[in-house]
Amino acid sequence: MRKRLFRYKYDNRLIDELIENTKFGTITSSVLASSIVALVLYGEIPNYYLLFFMLFHALILITRLLITQKYKNLLHPSYKSTKRYLKQYINLMSLSALSFSIIFFISSSYGVSDSRLFFIVSIIISLSAGSLATMGSVYIVFASFMVSNIIPLIIVLSIHGGKIFFITSIVLILYLIVNLIHGFRLFKSHEKALGLEKKFSTIYNKSSDGIAIIKDTKILECNDTFIKMFNRKDKVSILNSSILDIIAKYDTDEEQYFQEMFEALQKDQREYISLEWLYSNDDNDFYIEIRMSPIKLENELVIHTIFRDIDAKKRAELEIIRLNETLEERVSIEVEKNRIKDKQLLEQTKLAQMGQMISMIAHQWRQPLSAISTVAISINLKAKMKKLDNETAIDATDKIASYTKHLSETIDDFRTFFKSNKEKHYISYTELVNSVLKIVEVSITNKDIKIVQDLNSTLVFKIYVNEVKQVLLNLIKNAEDVLIEKHIQNPKIYIESYGNTLVIRDNAGGIPEEIIEKVFDPYFSTKTEKTGTGLGLYMSKIIIEEHCNGKLSVSNDTEGAVFKITL
């Protein structure tokens, strides 16, 4: 508490207030009060005392004015450099106050009447009462002056004696205590109000928005952000200038537009106006949001205007609008790119399947070609041995015709399988499976793999037939490859259908759980680089799900992998 009462660190504005009140306080105590006391005591005590009293107060007056002037010049955020001047000022106040008690004591010694002495007491009390108004902003100055005024007075009153002066002493003690407490509370209240004002000023000036108070288009007040936003040197260069010279300097239409808005607001015709504005100057341009509203300030209608920098936000919005305008075109381009990519991948898949198909055809041709060769050798031997009769020749040629027909049908199946079709056709799961098995069954069964069919679905589907055939071929060949790779005993491929679902599964043990989610990714393959492209299952999923609006999924059961097609 003592440190709070007797500190020397004060806000500069409090000290400024003290300095502003010094002139009035100095004239009152050092000129007016001292002159009245001198007149009252004139002829009652030796004149040299009065002369010395007046000269002393004249010196106090001059010194106080000099100190306050230096004090004002030195005010800045660091209080240490002004501390010495504050102490000097307190000493002068204390001496000034003490001088009245001394002149009272001298007057009392010379037998001045009690009425005149009481008048001097009244002057001293009046000075102490007025000190709250002139010195209250800096509590240590006020407290020092009060103590220097009242304590010596109480002492000299006690020395003088007399009932009236004794009672006055007691009253002065209470008066001193009450005034010191009241003065401290007023000071704290004043200090708190100043702190709030300071906080408001900080918030006002450091706000991210520019703020200006405008009347008749003239700028009455603005914050620091406003100055920076519009690239002005300082507040002096802006105040009392026209806001139109800042926000509408280069466009008379804009100037007229803002002029009308300000007039409407000042006539109280609008509650507020909010707009977005592209501000331009010689250096750059940026978007700002302007919000104007009429308010009463000291009974005067003015326009409270907020300027918010929305350049980044606005340009982002404009970019989004621009992107949306071109979105359809860019989507079409990307769709076309993806279509071309899928087509290329499909062609790659077809080429890989063609290699497999040629191998299957070779398997199917091997037996008929061998039979044709056998029949030809038999005809040749019988002809050389002169044993070739008509019946044998007809039978042999019939067999050759049958074998060549089979070879021709195999070629037709091959050509049909890879023929590109642009239209959807109706077909059932049974027809699809039979068409695919005509090509692959011989190759698979020659490898001792059993194909188990359980086709119960009678539904027909409108699809791209040859594309779906390629999916079935890919799934069946994958099952064949994994059965051979793992050397499965009693290998089997199951082909089942029910409702709108076709299932192709095997008994090869299934796909590892850590990779099952990746089997439909492009270029992901569990086969060796020579035998796997990683495109088969990826393209199969695209064909079923994107081209045919179906679904292709994979899972494991107790025997192996299960691929499901749902159309």
Side-chain angles (χ1 to χ4, degrees), residues 161-406:
K163 185 176 179 181
I164 186 66
F165 292 110
F166 180 73
I167 294 171
T168 304
S169 298
I170 295 172
V171 172
L172 285 175
I173 292 171
L174 295 174
Y175 170 79
L176 176 63
I177 294 170
V178 170
N179 267 272
L180 288 175
I181 294 171
H182 180 62
F184 183 72
R185 287 177 177 172
L186 283 177
F187 164 72
K188 292 306 294 181
S189 176
H190 188 60
E191 191 178 47
K192 185 178 180 181
L194 190 63
L196 290 173
E197 182 186 339
K198 194 173 182 180
K199 287 179 182 178
F200 172 77
S201 178
T202 301
I203 294 169
Y204 171 72
N205 282 305
K206 301 303 178 183
S207 168
S208 59
D209 298 332
I211 302 172
I213 304 298
I214 300 167
K215 179 175 174 59
D216 298 328
T217 75
K218 298 294 183 182
I219 302 171
L220 303 181
E221 181 58 58
C222 66
N223 67 351
D224 294 344
T225 306
F226 181 87
I227 296 168
K228 292 177 184 177
M229 182 178 288
F230 296 106
N231 199 25
R232 292 299 191 257
K233 184 179 178 182
D234 51 35
K235 190 178 287 191
V236 176
S237 64
I238 290 180
L239 295 184
N240 295 317
S241 62
S242 173
I243 187 66
L244 301 178
D245 290 340
I246 296 176
I247 61 175
K249 184 176 181 180
Y250 302 103
D251 193 319
T252 53
D253 292 335
E254 289 182 1
E255 184 174 343
Q256 180 65 28
Y257 174 68
F258 278 107
Q259 180 76 44
E260 291 172 359
M261 282 195 295
F262 284 123
E263 288 177 0
L265 286 167
Q266 288 187 311
K267 290 176 182 177
D268 212 12
Q269 295 174 350
R270 301 280 295 273
E271 289 185 6
Y272 71 88
I273 294 175
S274 182
L275 65 132
E276 293 178 353
W277 197 258
L278 179 60
Y279 169 74
S280 301
N281 60 19
D282 295 329
D283 300 323
N284 62 351
D285 52 30
F286 60 92
Y287 286 93
I288 54 175
E289 180 184 7
I290 304 175
R291 187 178 179 89
M292 298 177 284
S293 54
I295 61 171
K296 278 198 172 182
L297 197 63
E298 296 178 351
N299 294 321
E300 189 176 30
L301 190 67
V302 296
I303 308 301
H304 177 257
T305 312
I306 298 174
F307 300 84
R308 178 167 296 171
D309 187 342
I310 58 167
D311 192 62
K313 172 189 169 186
K314 188 65 180 178
R315 292 190 188 279
E317 289 176 357
L318 294 174
E319 179 64 16
I320 290 171
I321 293 171
R322 188 189 67 79
L323 290 173
N324 285 336
E325 289 174 349
T326 61
L327 181 61
E328 185 176 348
E329 180 184 352
R330 290 185 293 111
V331 168
S332 298
I333 293 171
E334 291 301 319
V335 168
E336 180 63 19
K337 286 181 180 178
N338 288 334
R339 191 188 67 78
I340 294 171
K341 175 187 169 186
D342 289 347
K343 187 175 180 181
Q344 290 172 342
L345 291 175
L346 186 58
E347 291 301 320
Q348 291 182 39
T349 306
K350 285 183 179 180
L351 289 174
Q353 288 182 338
M354 283 178 68
Q356 295 176 343
M357 189 68 70
I358 290 170
S359 175
M360 296 174 203
I361 291 171
H363 276 287
Q364 295 202 29
W365 277 19
R366 187 172 287 112
Q367 185 179 357
L369 286 173
S370 178
I372 290 172
S373 177
T374 301
V375 172
I377 291 171
S378 175
I379 292 172
N380 184 270
L381 287 173
K382 287 186 177 183
K384 286 180 179 180
M385 295 172 64
K386 308 293 185 180
K387 292 183 178 181
L388 183 63
D389 53 55
N390 288 338
E391 185 179 346
T392 301
I394 291 170
D395 182 61
T397 54
D398 285 343
K399 287 180 179 179
I400 291 172
S402 175
Y403 293 144
T404 54
K405 181 182 177 184
H406 178 72

Side-chain angles (χ1 to χ4, degrees), residues 123-174:
I123 293 293
I124 296 172
I125 293 172
S126 298
L127 288 174
S128 65
S131 65
L132 184 59
T134 58
M135 304 176 193
S137 60
V138 179
Y139 184 73
I140 192 172
V141 175
F142 164 72
S144 299
F145 185 78
M146 280 292 296
V147 170
S148 302
N149 237 344
I150 304 301
I151 296 297
L153 182 59
I154 293 171
I155 294 171
V156 296
L157 286 174
S158 300
I159 293 171
H160 178 73
K163 185 176 179 181
I164 186 66
F165 292 110
F166 180 73
I167 294 171
T168 304
S169 298
I170 295 172
V171 172
L172 285 175
I173 292 171
L174 295 174

Side-chain angles (χ1 to χ4, degrees), residues 429 457 459 461 496-503 564-567:
Y429 279 140
S457 175
L459 298 177
F461 309 95
E496 305 163 354
S497 70
Y498 52 88
N500 63 340
T501 302
L502 178 67
V503 178
K564 274 187 185 179
I565 296 173
T566 304
L567 295 176

Side-chain angles (χ1 to χ4, degrees), residues 2-12 14-23 25-26 29 60 64 67-68 71 75 82-98 127-150 176 179-180 183-184 187:
R2 184 179 61 83
K3 288 183 178 179
R4 292 174 69 189
L5 288 171
F6 301 105
R7 60 193 171 111
Y8 289 96
K9 183 178 180 180
Y10 290 88
D11 189 281
N12 286 344
L14 292 171
I15 297 173
D16 248 339
E17 191 174 323
L18 172 68
I19 292 170
E20 288 301 316
N21 293 329
T22 290
K23 294 177 183 178
T26 302
S29 62
I60 291 287
R64 281 177 70 177
I67 288 177
T68 51
Y71 207 166
L75 284 181
T82 59
K83 182 177 179 181
R84 180 164 60 91
Y85 288 94
L86 184 57
K87 286 183 177 181
Q88 290 175 359
Y89 190 83
I90 290 169
N91 292 334
L92 282 174
M93 294 298 97
S94 300
L95 287 172
S96 176
L98 187 61
L127 288 174
S128 65
S131 65
L132 184 59
T134 58
M135 304 176 193
S137 60
V138 179
Y139 184 73
I140 192 172
V141 175
F142 164 72
S144 299
F145 185 78
M146 280 292 296
V147 170
S148 302
N149 237 344
I150 304 301
L176 176 63
N179 267 272
L180 288 175
F184 183 72
F187 164 72

